[in-house]
Amino acid sequence: MNLYSIALRNIWRKKTRALLITSGLIVGIATAVALFLTVESMRLALGDQIDEFGSNIVIVPRAEGMDISYGGAHVSRASIDLKQLELSDLEAIKEIPDFNSINIISPKMVAAVNVNGKEALLVGIEPNREFIMKPWYTLAAQSGLNGGEGIRGLAMADLKPEGIIAGAEAAAALELQAGSQITINGQNFVVQGILNPLGSAEDGLFFANLAAVQTLLGRPGEISMVEISAYCNACPVEELAAQISAVLPNGEVTALRQAALIREETIDKFSAFSILLSAVALTIAALLVFTTMMAAVHERTREIGIFRALGFRKSHIIRIFFIEAGLVGLLGGGAGYLAGNLVASLAGTYLTGSAVPATWQPELFYQALLLSTTVALIASAFPAGRAAGLNPAEALRFI
Amino acid sequence: MSNVLIKMDNIKKYYRSGSDTVSALQEITLQIGRGESAAVMGASGSGKSTLLSIVGGLNRPSGGKILIDDLDLYALPGERLADFRREYIGFVFQQFQLIPYLTALENVLLPLTTAGYSRPEKYERALNALERVSMTGRKNHLPNQLSGGEQERVAIARAIVNEPPLVLADEPTGSLDSRTAGEIMELFQDLGESGLTILMVTHNPENAAYMQRLITMQDGLVTDDSKKPEPLASGRIALAGNAGGVR
Ligand SMILES: Nc1ncnc2c1ncn2[C@@H]1O[C@H](COP(=O)(O)OP(=O)(O)OP(=O)(O)O)[C@@H](O)[C@H]1O
Ligand SMILES: [Mg+2]
């Protein structure tokens, strides 16, 4: 017999009541956990999206109804009414007021070509710009390595005029290795490096020097796309985009990051809303614990009087109630965590469109336990105090 | 150690409810010796329960002073009073007041819960106490599986398990038939003979006869206080022919 067994007996004796409080806590904790997981997965998805844009401004030739899809299958070579964008046009960008905010300007030419007899997408780039802007491009293999040289960087930064860097899928589809000879539109090239797979459309691309591609296509000086990475705290990206647009009449300038930012704002709002909703759910749970505990104190007045007469201190009485609340809190926290995960993986994906990874998160589990127990204890503090404060003589009088 | 266990000096108790003030104890000055057994009688509302609860450290008097074992009860700091109750007082209540969801043994273990005994020690003491009231065989029964008399025995075991010097009983046989009440009174008598100090409120003169001393109260005052020279035998004889008359 100790305070724990007394508390346990009371829980067991009033199973329905304990179940009621536990359910309240489960709902509260599950709400908080499910919303937290959902917001977290939304943020993760957003993070991926933002990472995907190494650039935050994209310039394409201005053209109505023109369908250029970078990395996608449809890149129109037809330039019916297309205003051409020349490399030299980019000089004008240096004149914009916020030029200092611009980090890298990476012009490129994207074209559908014939590689070893198969259709493929070739991207002409300036390697030291493109690969610095997109540091997640890494080589899996490269040719012409000397002893002691690491795989990383060499071929990418130093792409020879006849050199090609192949995306993982592109290399696999054409069974290419580093050092393989290939023909593109009838002209010979050497596969200088093969990229690690990224799991995105870029895996299917071939990269070559911009100048080489321009020559190959017979369109010297022409570019089909410019990606710009800019970091500007003071000015919004769209402001930069507007400035560029003003000096590039032939270009259609889009601030890419904006989409992500708007989404981030949405997530922030949803997150704030989630916190509010969780707080409401937990407050309701707390009120449930409170009223149930108050009723229990009232009902157990006699018992408390007896305990006090038998020499239990006030602190002992408080401890009995806190142990009960704590145990129920732990139970509610644990079950609430599981329920929250379940709800997040079922409803979260459906609601937000982003997949919630159903991973075991010990940290969140302990936080759920802590939160639930804290709510239960705080809500029981007053009832427990009330119980301890009962005048034992009074408590025993009306029996 | 003085011979006086309880020393009440000018104890007063008022209850205030709204604008009304009830004077439950007007002025009680009383001494009870160590090992003495005393019955408290008096009309309903005369202040018997109030007196008992003050002696038991459950009810702070409005005035006066009470010493138990030379300890100024109500001068004790907060939680020490609870410790005092655990160490010094065994309560036996009218309706037994066993905790309904605990077995007989567990009820007896209760006062030991907050004391610093080891687990085996607690069980040994509790079983000993149950033995003294002949309830060992029913130790695993819940109160509602026991008769009134049996519950009363368990309540007595619970009161003496900590071996307190003082047992306070408020109408302990009030809800028992006279025969069972007699058995319980004999138990109290045995406890008294083993050196325990007993203060018992009762409405039944036959029960009072088991005690060495009879304190009579009226309107919050002690109106009569007499020691009985030969209470034991007469009590037992009186009980033998008793056919009712308990309350
Ligand atoms: N908590 C309280 N609040 C107000 N009045 C009280 C309180 N406790 C006792 N009283 C009053 O004090 C007086 C003495 O009460 P007490 O319970 O001590 O009497 P008693 O002698 O034990 O009576 P009974 O034989 O009916 O048990 C009564 O008038 C009672 O109404
Ligand atoms: Mg009374």
Side-chain angles (χ1 to χ4, degrees), chain A residues 159-181:
Chain A
L159 191 56
K160 301 199 177 70
E162 74 284 5
I164 290 286
I165 289 179
E169 264 175 38
L174 292 167
E175 294 176 6
L176 301 176
Q177 266 108 46
S180 298
Q181 300 277 337

Side-chain angles (χ1 to χ4, degrees), chain A residues 394 397-398, chain B residues 15-17 22-24 42-51 170-171 203:
Chain A
E394 293 271 315
R397 210 173 107 77
F398 304 99
Chain B
Y15 289 110
R16 202 158 283 133
S17 49
V22 181
S23 176
S44 185
S46 56
K48 307 180 294 294
S49 296
T50 302
L51 180 75
D170 199 347
E171 300 183 47
H203 280 108

Side-chain angles (χ1 to χ4, degrees), chain A residues 319-357:
Chain A
R319 263 150 70 187
I320 291 176
F321 279 90
F322 272 2
I323 291 169
E324 288 184 36
L327 289 175
V328 167
L330 285 176
L331 199 67
Y337 170 80
L338 295 179
N341 268 286
L342 200 69
V343 170
S345 58
L346 291 181
T349 315
Y350 171 72
L351 285 176
T352 65
S354 55
V356 178

Side-chain angles (χ1 to χ4, degrees), chain A residues 1-3 6 9-10 13 302-303 306-316 391-393 396 399, chain B residues 58-59 79 82-83 85-86 91 93 97-102 106 109-111 113-114 122-123 158:
Chain A
M1 279 297 295
N2 53 40
L3 299 182
I6 293 172
R9 287 302 177 79
N10 264 303
R13 191 167 67 106
R302 185 181 79 122
E303 175 187 322
I306 297 169
F307 284 164
R308 296 277 286 137
L310 296 180
F312 280 53
R313 292 176 165 197
K314 287 183 182 185
S315 57
H316 292 132
N391 180 343
L396 287 166
I399 32 188
Chain B
L58 285 174
N59 201 353
E79 302 281 60
D83 297 346
R85 288 197 290 270
R86 189 184 68 212
F91 282 102
F93 308 98
Q97 302 305 349
L98 299 177
I99 305 295
Y101 56 89
L102 298 180
E106 288 165 339
L109 281 165
L110 268 184
T113 307
T114 60
K122 285 181 191 174
Y123 277 87
R158 186 177 67 184

Side-chain angles (χ1 to χ4, degrees), chain A residues 78-393:
Chain A
S79 47
I80 305 153
D81 211 15
L82 183 63
K83 301 236 168 62
Q84 292 207 340
L85 207 52
E86 302 278 334
L87 202 50
S88 53
D89 293 341
L90 301 184
E91 291 297 310
I93 296 178
K94 288 182 181 159
E95 310 302 324
I96 66 166
D98 285 322
F99 178 68
N100 285 342
S101 302
I102 291 177
N103 206 20
I104 296 174
I105 301 177
S106 177
K108 49 181 65 88
M109 167 137 240
V110 186
V113 292
N114 187 301
V115 180
N116 285 357
K118 288 187 180 169
E119 283 280 309
L121 270 184
L122 179 64
V123 186
I125 51 163
E126 292 185 356
N128 50 4
R129 296 179 182 221
E130 178 71 2
F131 291 132
I132 286 171
M133 182 189 276
K134 299 181 176 172
W136 54 92
Y137 281 12
T138 54
L139 285 175
Q142 82 175 75
S143 68
L145 268 186
N146 294 318
E149 285 177 348
I151 219 172
R152 171 163 180 81
L154 266 181
M156 292 170 81
D158 192 17
L159 191 56
K160 301 199 177 70
E162 74 284 5
I164 290 286
I165 289 179
E169 264 175 38
L174 292 167
E175 294 176 6
L176 301 176
Q177 266 108 46
S180 298
Q181 300 277 337
I182 55 170
T183 52
I184 301 180
N185 288 3
Q187 197 168 319
N188 287 335
F189 285 87
V190 178
V191 176
Q192 211 178 315
I194 295 172
L195 292 174
N196 280 312
L198 292 167
S200 62
E202 276 105 321
D203 286 348
L205 301 176
F206 287 95
F207 296 90
N209 275 300
L210 178 59
V213 175
Q214 287 169 337
T215 312
L216 179 72
L217 298 174
R219 286 145 73 182
E222 193 188 322
I223 48 178
S224 57
M225 177 181 201
V226 184
E227 286 183 287
I228 295 179
S229 106
Y231 297 102
C232 187
N233 288 330
C235 57
V237 184
E238 66 212 338
E239 168 69 28
L240 259 183
Q243 290 177 11
I244 295 171
S245 194
V247 298
L248 273 187
N250 287 349
E252 190 162 311
V253 185
T254 318
L256 273 189
R257 194 93 184 240
Q258 268 330 89
L261 279 180
I262 288 169
R263 196 160 152 73
E264 189 170 22
E265 242 170 57
T266 314
I267 293 180
D268 283 345
K269 277 183 191 151
F270 182 68
S271 170
F273 173 72
S274 299
I275 291 172
L276 193 75
L277 203 64
S278 305
V280 169
L282 286 170
T283 306
I284 292 171
L287 285 174
L288 194 66
V289 174
F290 176 80
T291 46
T292 313
M293 279 296 191
M294 283 307 278
V297 170
H298 184 74
E299 192 177 277
R300 283 157 70 181
T301 299
R302 185 181 79 122
E303 175 187 322
I304 294 159
I306 297 169
F307 284 164
R308 296 277 286 137
L310 296 180
F312 280 53
R313 292 176 165 197
K314 287 183 182 185
S315 57
H316 292 132
I317 304 293
I318 290 180
R319 263 150 70 187
I320 291 176
F321 279 90
F322 272 2
I323 291 169
E324 288 184 36
L327 289 175
V328 167
L330 285 176
L331 199 67
Y337 170 80
L338 295 179
N341 268 286
L342 200 69
V343 170
S345 58
L346 291 181
T349 315
Y350 171 72
L351 285 176
T352 65
S354 55
V356 178
T359 49
W360 170 249
Q361 292 190 42
E363 219 161 277
L364 188 59
F365 176 69
Y366 296 131
Q367 279 167 1
L369 291 189
L370 189 72
L371 183 62
S372 175
T373 313
T374 309
V375 167
L377 289 183
I378 289 178
S380 308
F382 182 79
R386 169 67 68 89
L390 281 177
N391 180 343

